[in-house]
Amino acid sequence: MKSYKKYAGIFSTIVLSLALVACGPQESSEEGSGSNEAKTNKEYDLLVWEDIEKAGGIEDAVAKFEEEHDVTVKVVEKAYAQQIEDLRLDGPAGTGPDVLTMPGDQIGTAVTEGLIKELDVPEDVQSIYTEVAMQSQKVDNKVYGLPKAVETTMLYYNKDLVSEEELPTTLDEWYELSKEMTDGEKYGFLALFDQIYYAQSVLSGYGGYIFGTDENGGFNGSDIGLNNEGSVEGAQYIQKFYKEGLFPAGIIGEQGINVLESLFTEGKAAAIISGPWNIDPFTKAGVNFGVAKLPELANGENMSSFVGVKSYNVSSYSKNAELAEEFVEFVANEENSKTRFEVTKEVPAVQALADDPVVAESEAAQAVAEQSQFAELTPNIPEMNEVWTPADAALQTIATGKAEPKEALDQAVETIQGQIQAKHGGK
């Protein structure tokens, strides 16, 4: 595996400027507790929603913050992708959090709905994070959170089925190896290419894109490239894995991720595309695996991927917003980010930690860093919400042979454009 240090600065090479006008409820200047419940019971000063099974990563930071500020912080674990949805109800009810964690691609929607507070973060604090991670937290050049971790997909391979020395480096090579290995019980390379989150890695490599950019470098919700020539070519390449039976039918659809992960865990798949979230489960399952960047495509381009950024954000409904903002800066600083990595193994967004020995020794961190030089930030404009379902539906019809790539992608784009016009006014 190549040195992680070689890729220490690659995140900062992906620069995106995001433009969106924020609107929402007026923020209260009332000082108090983190929720109405807390205000009544005096049980805590801040309520923090952390990701499932990740609270241990901030346990020390929370204790230090409580001691330094003479406050009580309550941490509740919730699935981070659902926290914004819960905030929509709990925030107005007064039972929501002061601090929450969320995916970077939800920032634009959260800002538009007035769910999260703009933060007054000094430039010297912003500068400690990788540029792409920090950009994910900005809308109209205003800061709405601080990044705590970055992730992107990578290649997992079973060392008992394919050695590191014999590891294919191109998708064509994996295609050929899959033809040799696939027998109905065992498979070579597998991926959830019926989902745009994963298929974009091929489509983008051939010149496809979800949203283009405007003159300021922000995403342009009216410029959709999911059915351009490059996207169609990428979809045609994907299609042959399904047509030739190299991907089992079970990995198509809602249960596909469970089937794919089970095949890899049981030693029935030589390689899969997944993210760092599976490091711990595969390790606990006893799989003898390695990780690497995604393969190159036939045109010489490396497979792309989405860079996901997890962040800490302050609820617009917080009654103790100033303290909450102080907590966000504290829990996401360099020292606490390193501790969090040691516990959770999620790759930190702090630039300096790329050179830290503890991080550099992680094979997963190396793979994430190497792949990130070919990755792109997941669009965080509200229009992205209209992409997922139609794009996935189109890819599934391609995978099952119910439609050809051009026809399916044209239909998807037509649906996306209609939904954007109806829900966002075409902006």
Side-chain angles (χ1 to χ4, degrees):
M1 184 63 66
K2 298 178 182 178
S3 170
Y4 181 82
K5 293 183 179 180
K6 179 176 180 181
Y7 303 99
I10 60 177
F11 289 121
S12 61
T13 62
I14 310 171
V15 182
L16 291 173
S17 175
L18 308 176
L20 185 66
V21 178
C23 59
Q26 292 184 346
E27 297 165 4
S28 171
S29 60
E30 178 184 350
E31 293 296 312
S33 59
S35 70
N36 285 351
E37 179 184 355
K39 188 173 183 179
T40 300
N41 298 333
K42 302 292 184 182
E43 293 178 353
Y44 49 81
D45 300 282
L46 289 179
L47 176 60
V48 176
W49 283 356
E50 179 55 282
D51 195 7
I52 297 293
E53 298 184 352
K54 296 295 189 295
I58 63 171
E59 187 175 344
D60 288 348
V62 168
K64 291 176 185 177
F65 188 83
E66 289 180 319
E67 182 178 358
E68 292 179 9
H69 293 265
D70 191 24
V71 295
T72 300
V73 179
K74 181 177 180 179
V75 179
V76 174
E77 292 187 342
K78 282 178 171 281
Y80 90 102
Q82 300 299 318
Q83 290 189 20
I84 280 295
E85 183 176 340
D86 290 344
L87 181 62
R88 291 187 177 103
L89 297 175
D90 294 349
T95 58
D98 297 280
V99 176
L100 66 155
T101 183
M102 58 186 290
D105 64 320
Q106 291 185 355
I107 296 290
T109 297
V111 170
T112 299
E113 296 182 22
L115 296 173
I116 56 176
K117 182 182 181 296
E118 179 187 350
L119 306 184
D120 183 17
V121 182
E123 287 293 334
D124 61 330
V125 174
Q126 295 184 43
S127 67
I128 74 170
Y129 304 100
T130 59
E131 190 158 9
V132 65
M134 197 61 234
Q135 284 294 330
S136 75
Q137 300 304 301
K138 295 181 178 181
V139 174
D140 196 23
N141 210 33
K142 297 177 181 178
V143 177
Y144 289 90
L146 289 179
K148 67 173 183 176
V150 293
E151 61 186 18
T152 193
T153 52
M154 54 191 175
L155 184 82
Y156 285 79
Y157 63 97
N158 188 318
K159 294 181 178 180
D160 294 333
L161 300 178
V162 56
S163 68
E164 185 174 355
E165 293 73 26
E166 299 173 337
L167 191 69
T169 58
T170 70
L171 198 52
D172 276 350
E173 291 173 350
W174 276 113
Y175 170 74
E176 295 298 330
L177 183 60
S178 293
K179 289 198 293 185
E180 295 176 14
M181 296 184 68
T182 302
D183 60 9
E185 292 291 330
K186 288 190 176 182
Y187 299 88
F189 165 84
L190 298 178
L192 300 174
F193 284 153
D194 68 321
Q195 298 178 22
I196 189 61
Y197 180 80
Y198 298 94
Q200 178 67 4
S201 63
V202 178
L203 273 55
S204 178
Y206 282 102
Y209 57 89
I210 294 181
F211 293 119
T213 55
D214 57 28
E215 63 274 9
N216 298 316
F219 289 110
N220 180 358
S222 63
D223 179 9
I224 303 172
L226 279 173
N227 62 339
N228 69 6
E229 185 177 340
S231 290
V232 173
E233 184 177 1
Q236 290 170 339
Y237 189 93
I238 285 171
Q239 189 180 41
K240 68 180 185 179
F241 283 91
Y242 296 97
K243 275 188 173 181
E244 299 187 26
L246 303 181
F247 285 3
I251 69 169
I252 301 174
E254 291 184 3
Q255 296 302 314
I257 189 168
N258 297 324
V259 176
L260 176 132
E261 290 172 355
S262 293
L263 287 170
F264 189 73
T265 301
E266 295 166 8
K268 296 179 180 180
I272 64 169
I273 292 179
S274 189
W277 52 84
N278 264 326
I279 290 288
D280 190 50
F282 290 160
T283 300
K284 289 179 178 177
V287 183
N288 181 22
F289 69 90
V291 290
K293 73 171 182 66
L294 299 182
E296 292 182 1
L297 297 167
N299 62 359
E301 296 292 326
N302 205 89
M303 289 177 67
S304 181
S305 59
F306 282 131
V307 171
V309 181
K310 294 184 177 183
S311 60
Y312 288 114
N313 308 82
V314 176
S315 166
S316 292
Y317 301 97
S318 172
K319 298 297 190 296
N320 211 350
E322 185 175 341
L323 183 65
E325 185 169 339
E326 287 184 46
F327 177 83
V328 167
E329 286 193 27
F330 182 78
V331 77
N333 68 21
E334 181 175 342
E335 178 184 355
N336 292 321
S337 291
K338 179 180 178 180
T339 300
R340 188 177 185 282
F341 168 76
E342 292 171 341
V343 175
T344 67
K345 305 307 179 187
E346 290 190 326
V347 180
V350 175
Q351 183 74 48
L353 290 179
D355 292 322
D356 188 278
V358 175
V359 180
E361 288 176 1
S362 167
E363 187 180 18
Q366 291 181 34
V368 168
E370 189 173 358
Q371 176 58 34
S372 292
Q373 67 182 311
F374 308 110
E376 54 197 81
L377 194 64
T378 309
N380 72 348
I381 56 175
E383 289 89 337
M384 187 63 191
N385 294 325
E386 317 311 326
V387 172
W388 301 109
T389 299
D392 287 356
L395 291 165
Q396 286 178 18
T397 62
I398 293 170
T400 55
K402 295 179 180 179
E404 289 302 308
K406 185 67 167 67
E407 174 191 355
L409 294 176
D410 282 345
Q411 179 60 55
V413 170
E414 182 179 342
T415 300
I416 293 167
Q417 288 174 330
Q419 292 181 177
I420 289 176
Q421 182 63 42
K423 297 180 182 180
H424 308 277
K427 296 180 181 180

